Amino acid sequence: MNKETSEKQLFYLDGLRGLAAFAVVISHYIQVFYPAALTGKPQQAHFEWDIWYGHSPINLFYNGQFAVCLFFVLSGYVLSVKMFEKELDSETFLKLLHSSALRRYIRLAVPAAVSVLLVYLAIITNAFYLQDIWGTTWTDMKKNYYALDTNIYTVIKAAIFDPFSVLKHILTIQSFGQWAMSY
C-alpha cells in the first residue's frame, strides 16, 4: 500500500473517530435529559418511545459505551499503523515510541486538565444545577458534585495524573473511559 492510499484510509478512520467522539457527547446529553433511553428503566421514561429507541439499533448512534470502545479500537490502529509503516531498528523504534507516548500524554493531559479545572470552578462557584433538574429529568447521574474534594492538590492530581493512572483504574474499574485513557 502506498503512502497516499494509507493516508486516505487513515483520514477516513479519523472521521469515524470524530463521529464516535460526537456520539459520546450526545450520550451525555441523553444521560441527563432522556435517561430511560440508556438505562431502559420505565420509571425514567418521559415518553413511551424513550425505552423503544433505547432498545433499537438507533441506540448505536448515541450509545457512549459503544462509541468509546469503537474510538479506542480505531485509535489503537491509527496510532500504531504509523509505527509499523517502515522498517526501524529497535533503538529507533523505542525512541519513536517514547516520543509518541510523551506527545500523546501532553495532547490528552491538556484537555483533561482543562476539564478538571472547569469542574473545579463550577464547584467552587456553585454552578452545578443537575440536582435542581433531577426531579424533572429523572437522571441517575451523580447528584452531589459539591461533596467532591476541592482541595487544590487533589484537583491538580486529578487533572494531571488520575486519568492516566493504570493501577488506580484497574483496581477500582470505576470507568472504562478513564481506565482506557491510561493506555
Side-chain angles (χ1 to χ4, degrees):
M1 170 176 9
N2 65 32
K3 186 173 173 106
E4 186 178 315
T5 306
S6 173
E7 286 177 6
K8 284 182 182 177
Q9 287 180 342
L10 293 180
F11 183 71
Y12 170 73
L13 294 176
D14 280 338
L16 281 176
R17 285 185 352 170
L19 289 174
F22 184 67
V24 171
V25 171
I26 298 299
S27 176
H28 286 137
Y29 173 82
I30 288 174
Q31 187 176 9
V32 173
F33 294 103
Y34 301 98
L38 290 173
T39 66
K41 296 177 183 173
Q43 63 270 28
Q44 291 179 314
H46 297 281
F47 306 99
E48 192 173 309
W49 51 271
D50 282 357
I51 295 176
W52 173 82
Y53 69 80
H55 292 287
S56 74
I58 296 169
N59 180 298
L60 291 177
F61 294 107
Y62 66 83
N63 185 315
Q65 293 172 338
F66 173 76
V68 166
C69 291
L70 178 63
F71 181 86
F72 284 116
V73 167
L74 290 174
S75 294
Y77 176 75
V78 168
L79 295 172
S80 66
V81 76
K82 292 178 183 178
M83 300 287 286
F84 297 104
E85 279 183 338
K86 48 188 158 189
E87 292 286 325
L88 300 172
D89 61 79
S90 61
E91 186 178 331
T92 307
F93 178 79
L94 288 175
K95 283 181 183 178
L96 182 61
L97 184 63
H98 182 274
S99 171
S100 296
L102 183 61
R103 285 193 318 269
R104 181 171 169 78
Y105 174 80
I106 292 167
R107 191 174 64 242
L108 293 174
V110 170
V114 169
S115 297
V116 169
L117 178 64
L118 289 174
V119 170
Y120 174 72
L121 292 173
I123 290 172
I124 64 172
T125 60
N126 293 324
F128 274 111
Y129 295 99
L130 185 58
Q131 61 272 23
D132 297 337
I133 64 169
W134 190 85
T136 305
T137 66
W138 304 312
T139 184
D140 50 9
M141 282 186 72
K142 186 172 187 67
K143 294 179 192 165
N144 192 1
Y145 283 96
Y146 300 112
L148 294 173
D149 184 4
T150 56
N151 175 306
I152 192 66
Y153 298 110
T154 304
V155 172
I156 291 169
K157 180 179 170 281
I160 62 174
F161 179 73
D162 286 353
F164 308 98
S165 169
V166 175
L167 186 59
K168 174 188 169 199
H169 297 294
I170 288 176
L171 292 176
T172 59
I173 315 271
Q174 293 175 1
S175 163
F176 173 76
Q178 285 183 341
W179 173 79
M181 277 179 58
S182 62
Y183 280 77

